[in-house]
Amino acid sequence: MKRRTFLNSTIFAGAFPLITPKQFFTNSLIKPTSKNKFPISICTWNFKEANEVAGKALEKGMDSLNAAILGAQVEEDNPANSTVGFGGAPDREGNVTLDACVMDHKKNCGAVLAVENVVHVASLARDVMEKTPHVILTGKGAESFARSLNYPSTVLLTKESKKAWEKWKKEAAYEPIINIENHDTIGILCIDKQGNLSGACSTSGLAYKMKGRIGDSPIIGAGLFIDNEVGGAVATGMGEEVVKTVGSFLIVELMRQGYTPQQACDEAIRRIVSKEEGIPNFQVAYIAIDKNGNVGSRSIHDGFSYMEYRDQKNINNLVNPY
Ligand code: ASP
């Protein structure tokens, strides 16, 4: 981030305590705008097909939650994506364990953590949300819940991901760093024709993680947060750092206070970077959208981009690093 932008945003942030609670409340809710701006779909990385599938479904009238899950499924099914779903990198013991969460426009949410042998974990997270009295199911419990709903049992480790894991084992260095090359979590935020916002986030997490490690992606408030009155945000990158700063919730709450999506993403990244000495060697990136369809994004390092589908165009936007 340029020094001047940084100074402006900190001055801007400092101004808020001066707002009285009453003013704050009046300022806080972003006014709904005309519905004809919508639908919009944005997602992390250059997942062109995933975002297009979601965008087109929204145009046909699909609601935002179904569209977000449909988009996420494109990457969950994609064996070439080594950080999501089928073909995702395993943990250090060779087990592929998936994490996902969803949140809808009514503040409902669901998540599954460390699930094996199920590809469509974002959809499973929705089932937790809709078909159980809970918000989170983990491991074997989540897997048996999937079986009870007839999700197929799928071996998630592919020939290629097994080969890469075996190569890693020979080197056997455990360096839990997510840099610019090794992460491709899909986080997707959709606004439907009704102006309702929902999101989904799906990942296999950190490659060769310790067995049982969970990052930010299935943690509501960290990897994803939606408030239909304000906006939504989603994260990718070094999940531990996103969890420590509750990044997606932070962004949405900053937008509630009047930050633009861009300013809110800048501040969330600044909170992470400011804990470190200098620019850290891991990557974290956020995308955010407000209730009016304004979009923001920021990453710590170069190399991050996001897709944006609106007005029947699906565009990849490069993100300037901090
Ligand atoms: N955020 C994910 C995690 O920490 C990884 C990623 O985005 O690639 O599990």
Side-chain angles (χ1 to χ4, degrees):
M1 189 198 273
K2 301 253 174 341
R3 187 176 145 75
R4 186 176 311 146
T5 332
F6 170 74
L7 285 176
N8 282 347
S9 67
T10 47
I11 291 165
F12 187 66
F16 281 107
L18 301 176
I19 295 176
T20 65
K22 189 166 171 224
Q23 281 171 317
F24 172 75
F25 185 73
T26 335
N27 291 346
S28 65
L29 300 182
I30 295 173
K31 310 267 180 309
T33 51
S34 98
K35 288 179 187 160
N36 57 19
K37 283 192 184 179
F38 305 130
I40 302 170
S41 176
I42 61 171
C43 80
T44 51
W45 302 104
N46 55 351
F47 298 141
K48 187 166 184 277
E49 191 192 339
N51 204 46
E52 190 155 315
V53 163
K56 289 201 163 146
L58 288 165
E59 265 164 5
K60 287 193 185 133
M62 187 178 272
D63 68 86
S64 54
L65 179 65
N66 273 306
I69 291 170
L70 202 64
Q73 278 178 3
V74 171
E75 287 309 314
E76 289 172 343
D77 286 331
N78 176 8
N81 184 334
S82 62
T83 317
V84 182
F86 180 64
D91 64 20
R92 59 209 297 191
E93 294 171 29
N95 315 295
V96 183
T97 60
L98 305 182
D99 305 324
C101 70
V102 297
M103 193 156 184
D104 73 8
H105 69 286
K106 292 182 179 156
K107 299 192 178 81
N108 297 309
C109 59
V112 289
L113 281 60
V115 190
E116 293 180 59
N117 308 311
V118 177
V119 177
H120 292 154
V121 280
S123 168
L124 187 60
R126 190 249 311 266
D127 284 326
V128 171
M129 171 174 99
E130 290 178 349
K131 298 181 176 147
T132 80
H134 309 301
V135 293
I136 301 173
L137 287 183
T138 66
K140 290 281 172 235
E143 198 181 330
S144 8
F145 177 58
R147 297 294 162 252
S148 75
L149 298 174
N150 298 322
Y151 280 72
S153 177
T154 309
V155 176
L156 300 171
L157 195 67
T158 58
K159 238 204 238 157
E160 288 70 27
S161 56
K162 186 162 184 241
K163 221 165 123 191
W165 169 62
E166 278 163 350
K167 181 171 178 282
W168 170 84
K169 265 203 304 185
K170 281 192 199 133
E171 292 149 17
Y174 186 56
E175 285 170 19
I177 287 290
I178 289 181
N179 58 31
I180 58 170
E181 292 99 31
N182 65 354
H183 63 120
D184 281 321
T185 293
I186 181 155
I188 179 162
L189 302 170
C190 294
I191 304 185
D192 59 30
K193 283 185 174 169
Q194 280 63 46
N196 289 327
L197 173 62
S198 301
C201 189
S202 184
T203 191
S204 54
L206 183 67
Y208 320 130
K209 60 198 175 189
M210 284 178 73
K211 188 173 165 63
R213 177 266 184 192
I214 301 292
D216 61 311
S217 305
I219 307 294
I220 293 293
L224 169 74
F225 196 72
I226 304 287
D227 185 326
N228 202 47
E229 292 173 340
V230 177
V234 72
T236 179
M238 194 70 200
E240 282 74 3
E241 302 306 316
V242 177
V243 170
K244 286 177 204 168
T245 48
V246 203
S248 294
F249 179 75
L250 172 67
I251 290 171
V252 173
E253 284 306 299
L254 289 171
M255 292 195 289
R256 182 192 298 282
Q257 292 173 31
Y259 281 55
T260 64
Q262 186 57 56
Q263 288 165 333
C265 289
D266 288 348
E267 174 60 14
I269 290 289
R270 191 193 70 76
R271 299 263 177 116
I272 293 174
V273 173
S274 64
K275 302 197 293 97
E276 309 290 325
E277 282 174 25
I279 300 289
N281 61 351
F282 55 79
Q283 174 70 305
V284 172
Y286 291 105
I287 59 173
I289 190 163
D290 73 16
K291 187 66 189 152
N292 291 336
N294 301 304
V295 173
S297 60
R298 186 65 74 203
S299 55
I300 297 178
H301 294 281
D302 235 341
F304 178 64
S305 67
Y306 69 92
M307 295 300 309
E308 181 170 348
Y309 187 101
R310 67 171 90 211
D311 299 330
Q312 296 173 342
K313 284 186 213 81
N314 195 28
I315 290 168
N316 186 237
N317 299 291
L318 288 179
V319 175
N320 288 326
Y322 185 79

